């Protein structure tokens, strides 16, 4: 009797899933690394005030490594000009933008990790937007 109830329950569930189009979720591995985005800030670069933002690996230990990251900055109301820079060998990316006092800057970015010996993971971590009036 218990076996009949179990078979009936599985059959009904399967038919319901097929009729309603319910998809069974496929588990994905977690991203191999996490990244942080610094808010836009004013820094002296070669004696000149500039706005910077950085994307850096936050947590990425063996068996994973930071693969690529990109940091982007734009000035709000400054047209469609967005400046982006890729990561260096450490996995950190830093972008520098001209400073206009009183303007609001918006930082965005993405970080991609990889399992050691593998290509970058297919899903990167999207970061931002983070804005600051400077």
């Amino acid at each position: 009797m218990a076996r009949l109830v179990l078979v009936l329950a599985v059959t009904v569930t399967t038919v319901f899933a097929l009729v309603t189009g319910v998809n069974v979720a496929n588990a994905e591995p977690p991203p191999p690394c996490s990244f942080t985005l610094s808010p836009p800030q004013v820094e002296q670069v070669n004696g000149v005030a500039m706005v910077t933002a950085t994307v850096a690996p936050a947590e990425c230990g063996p068996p994973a490594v930071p693969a690529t990251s990109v940091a982007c900055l734009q000035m709000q109301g400054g047209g469609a000009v967005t400046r982006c820079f890729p990561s260096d060998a450490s996995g950190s990316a830093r972008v520098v933008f001209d400073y206009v006092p009183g303007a609001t800057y918006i930082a965005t970015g993405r970080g991609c990790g990889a399992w050691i010996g593998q290509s970058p993971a297919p899903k990167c971590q999207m970061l931002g937007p983070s804005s600051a009036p400077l």
Side-chain angles (χ1 to χ4, degrees), residues 39-88:
Q41 55 194 358
V42 178
E43 290 184 22
Q44 292 294 317
V45 178
N46 296 325
V48 178
M50 302 291 281
V51 179
T52 65
T54 303
V55 171
E59 187 177 325
C60 192
V65 293
T68 60
S69 58
V70 176
C72 299
L73 266 174
Q74 70 179 38
M75 185 172 67
Q76 187 174 11
V81 177
T82 301
R83 188 169 294 156
C84 297
F85 281 92
S87 59
D88 58 17

Side-chain angles (χ1 to χ4, degrees), residues 6 26 28-30 37 43 53 60-61 90 92-93 98 101 103 112 119-120 128:
L6 178 62
N26 292 326
E28 291 184 17
L37 171 68
E43 290 184 22
C60 192
S90 71
S92 294
D98 297 329
C112 307
S119 299

